[in-house]
Amino acid sequence: KAGVTQTPRYLIKTRGQQVTLSCSPISGHRSVSWYQQTPGQGLQFLFEYFSETQRNKGNFPGRFSGRQFSNSRSEMNVSTLELGDSALYLCASSLALVGTGLYEQYFGPGTRLTVT
Amino acid sequence: GESVGLHLPTLSVQEGDNSIINCAYSNSASDYFIWYKQESGKGPQFIIDIRSNMDKRQGQRVTVLLNKTVKHLSLQIAATQPGDSAVYFCAENRNTDKLIFGTGTRLQVFP
């Protein structure tokens, strides 16, 4: 069974630009969560989608948005990039909502975004 | 590989010894806890979880202990191996809300 895949793996953007990251969950998984990981702030939750609906949201500005498609694939978008958005963006999938604790959450390798 | 944290607390252990990684969680209402392992250049990997109605759970070479009185979680790794070298995170969840991750501990295993 293929794991969670994220594309692209590495990305370099300029301040003010926007970026779209993609995540393909494990087949059959309906929950997709996004996290930002930085050395200073650690792992921080961005949002979770289940059945194309955002179910939970972290404390990030509106420049961070996401969506989920009917095949459970998910994208996240960051508009008007800032230097502080440089981070590893991780996607994770699960059979059910993470908070139910019923199923493990599997992480992808992440997309390394560098904003210059 | 990529560093996930430049100033993480570090635990150095000798191969074959037992490791204990500690985590303090923030909310007494949290009811579900998970330990993750993150190797350089990879995403976090699930190790073991525990619900708040338990105080101990064992897996293969790993044991998680939960002390709700002091809001403390620990991960014990038996007979630590070089492949256990990684950053370890605890995460808490309350009432189907989002997961909140700890800052992480870097485990270094030396021969």
Side-chain angles (χ1 to χ4, degrees):
Chain A
K1 196 182 223 183
V4 177
T5 58
Q6 293 186 245
T7 56
R9 290 294 312 277
Y10 301 91
L11 202 52
I12 300 175
K13 288 286 189 177
T14 306
R15 269 182 304 177
Q17 287 185 315
Q18 71 149 14
V19 67
T20 299
L21 310 182
S22 180
C23 171
S24 293
I26 292 172
S27 177
H29 285 195
R30 296 171 65 189
S31 165
V32 174
S33 298
W34 288 91
Y35 297 86
Q36 182 195 65
Q37 188 172 35
T38 60
Q41 299 296 320
L43 261 166
Q44 292 188 292
F45 172 80
L46 280 156
F47 25 67
E48 179 180 15
Y49 285 87
F50 185 85
S51 295
E52 302 178 66
T53 303
Q54 188 179 91
R55 301 303 181 105
N56 277 308
K57 189 176 189 304
N59 298 322
F60 279 82
R63 298 186 298 108
F64 292 82
S65 62
R67 59 178 176 168
Q68 187 180 33
F69 302 96
S70 58
N71 61 359
S72 293
R73 191 178 69 84
S74 177
E75 290 180 346
M76 68 162 281
N77 184 277
V78 188
S79 62
T80 320
L81 284 166
E82 300 176 0
L83 294 178
D85 297 332
S86 295
L88 181 68
Y89 289 89
L90 291 159
C91 163
S93 77
S94 177
L95 279 168
L97 284 170
V98 172
T100 62
L102 294 176
Y103 301 102
E104 289 180 29
Q105 191 178 29
Y106 294 85
F107 281 82
T111 294
R112 169 69 63 184
L113 173 65
T114 302
V115 181
T116 62
Chain B
E2 298 166 338
S3 170
V4 300
L6 299 178
H7 304 292
L8 292 175
T10 299
L11 175 65
S12 297
V13 300
Q14 190 163 23
E15 182 179 355
D17 285 352
N18 296 333
S19 303
I20 300 176
I21 301 171
N22 297 304
C23 177
Y25 62 92
S26 59
N27 193 316
S28 56
S30 293
D31 54 10
Y32 178 56
F33 305 88
I34 312 170
W35 278 100
Y36 288 93
K37 171 187 180 183
Q38 187 171 22
E39 296 174 280
S40 184
K42 298 183 180 179
Q45 177 186 3
F46 175 95
I47 302 173
I48 192 168
D49 59 359
I50 189 168
R51 291 205 166 274
S52 59
N53 61 353
M54 303 172 69
D55 52 23
K56 181 179 180 179
R57 191 164 186 221
Q58 288 184 293
Q60 187 177 11
R61 279 201 310 119
V62 295
T63 301
V64 55
L65 298 177
L66 175 62
N67 186 329
K68 294 180 285 294
T69 302
V70 295
K71 294 189 287 186
H72 183 268
L73 196 66
S74 69
L75 176 71
Q76 300 178 0
I77 304 174
T80 312
Q81 302 169 0
D84 295 326
S85 294
V87 176
Y88 289 80
F89 295 95
C90 66
E92 62 180 295
N93 173 273
R94 47 186 176 272
N95 200 27
T96 75
D97 200 356
K98 58 184 180 290
L99 276 180
I100 298 174
F101 283 81
T103 52
T105 297
R106 188 182 305 278
L107 176 64
Q108 294 179 333
V109 183
F110 57 93

